[in-house]
Amino acid sequence: MLEVLPKTWAYKCMRLTGIGKKLPMNYTISVSYNCPSRCKTCNIWKKKADDLTLEEWEKVADSLGKSPYWITFSGGEPFMRPDIVELVTMFYKKCAPKIINIPTNGILWQNIVKKAPQIAQNCPNAEIVINLSLDQWGVKHEQIRGVPKNWELSMKAWRGLKEAKKKMKLKNLTLGIHTVISNFNVKDFPEFHKKLLTLKPDSYITEIAEERVELDTKGTGITPNYEDYSRAIDSLLEDMEKMFKEKKYKGVAKVAAAFRIQYYENVKKWLLEKRQVIPCFAGWASAQISPDGKVWECCIEATVLGDLRKNNYDFKKIWFDKKAQEIRKRIKNNGCSCPLANASYTNMLHHTPTLIKAGLKVLGR
């Protein structure tokens, strides 16, 4: 993570002056809207798209070059895509990202257990993060996710992945758990998150439920209020602070935990103030591409900056066009705000006070 810090100066200068042309370092690539889940916090499964083919994605990857440091392959459910191994491997070979993140609901457990290790083997110089989405424990998780036996299937995926990682000695495979904190689980979070930690994930992250254009959740009221969220996240922060004092975080995990603490504190501030708590670099350092090739600044507003199919799959042409410049101007002028985790971690790398706080935490001060 620290190796990207020198690159942040270019994005800072671009945001400040409007001068310069540099592609993002953080991409979210939505490979399909198809999903077997019926979550209370997401309606993406209702959406339809003419997904880009592997050959089309290859043209996009050529356009991105070596700019990506971090790529998230999202959905829908990424492992519903038959060519997910080939797709991720192709981006790895052409773009050489250091971090590849793939969230999954765990339902297609046999597919996941087979293909995730293949991806790790095919991308040896990247950290492959498989984040299993768990929003409660047991049957309560299934009530939120809307699929009977979701918990049982997720546990099969979890055990299978842990076994494969050990058996195949996949040092670049990180197995994480991801929880969306919403109005459906916020009051139970202090209790069930401790149970989730007994599964011994390599990493545990949470994200607050948001009303997103991408997820078709605008106006659904899924986002917790400040009081409920604070009580929930403070229970996790307490656990994390204890782990810092007991020196249980090591190496990269220690740095990541320090940034997560800052992110959770920023979310609380956002719930109170509903403004950009720190400057947003979506549109400069981070971007998202929809399954059918639409380029967005992020998935919250999902403003279509351009269509890759209509622009010969040339990401640069869209990213440096007039419309993208207009969206960047709106973001810079605080025309929007959100606590989107994927963009927030990139934003924090550009924010000196956050870097100082995280650095002091890592140093134990």
Side-chain angles (χ1 to χ4, degrees), residues 181-249:
I181 301 179
S182 69
N183 277 326
F184 302 107
N185 64 2
V186 64
K187 293 184 178 179
D188 296 329
F189 181 81
E191 176 185 356
F192 78 77
H193 96 262
K194 295 181 186 297
K195 290 183 179 180
L196 293 178
L197 290 175
T198 65
L199 297 175
K200 297 182 179 180
D202 297 326
S203 67
Y204 180 67
I205 60 175
T206 76
E207 185 170 5
I208 192 168
E210 298 171 86
E211 298 185 12
R212 305 181 186 179
V213 170
E214 178 201 27
L215 304 183
D216 193 23
T217 52
K218 287 289 187 178
T220 57
I222 58 177
T223 306
N225 60 38
Y226 170 79
E227 290 76 14
D228 288 343
Y229 178 80
S230 293
R231 279 193 293 268
I233 206 64
D234 284 350
S235 67
L236 177 58
L237 287 169
E238 184 179 339
D239 290 344
M240 295 179 73
E241 292 289 354
K242 184 178 179 181
M243 290 183 70
F244 266 103
K245 289 180 181 179
E246 295 176 354
K247 299 182 179 180
K248 292 185 177 180
Y249 288 120

Side-chain angles (χ1 to χ4, degrees), residues 88-89 92 97-102 115-131 161 164-166 168-176 202-203 252:
V88 176
T89 301
Y92 170 77
K98 296 298 183 182
I99 300 173
I100 294 174
N101 178 44
I102 309 176
K115 294 188 174 184
Q118 290 178 4
I119 292 172
Q121 286 183 316
N122 291 352
C123 310
N125 295 321
E127 180 183 1
I128 308 301
V129 184
I130 304 296
N131 273 324
L161 286 171
K165 178 181 179 179
K166 182 178 180 180
M168 300 170 69
K169 298 180 180 179
L170 299 171
K171 295 183 179 180
N172 67 325
L173 179 59
T174 295
L175 302 179
D202 297 326
S203 67
V252 175

Side-chain angles (χ1 to χ4, degrees), residues 137-149:
W137 183 271
V139 68
K140 291 184 177 181
H141 172 68
E142 295 171 6
Q143 292 169 355
I144 294 175
R145 289 280 163 164
V147 178
K149 295 187 177 181

Side-chain angles (χ1 to χ4, degrees), residues 335-360:
C336 59
S337 69
C338 73
L340 178 65
N342 201 310
S344 290
Y345 286 106
T346 304
N347 295 343
M348 288 190 290
L349 291 173
H350 293 79
H351 190 239
T352 301
T354 296
L355 290 175
I356 292 174
K357 289 177 183 178
L360 291 175

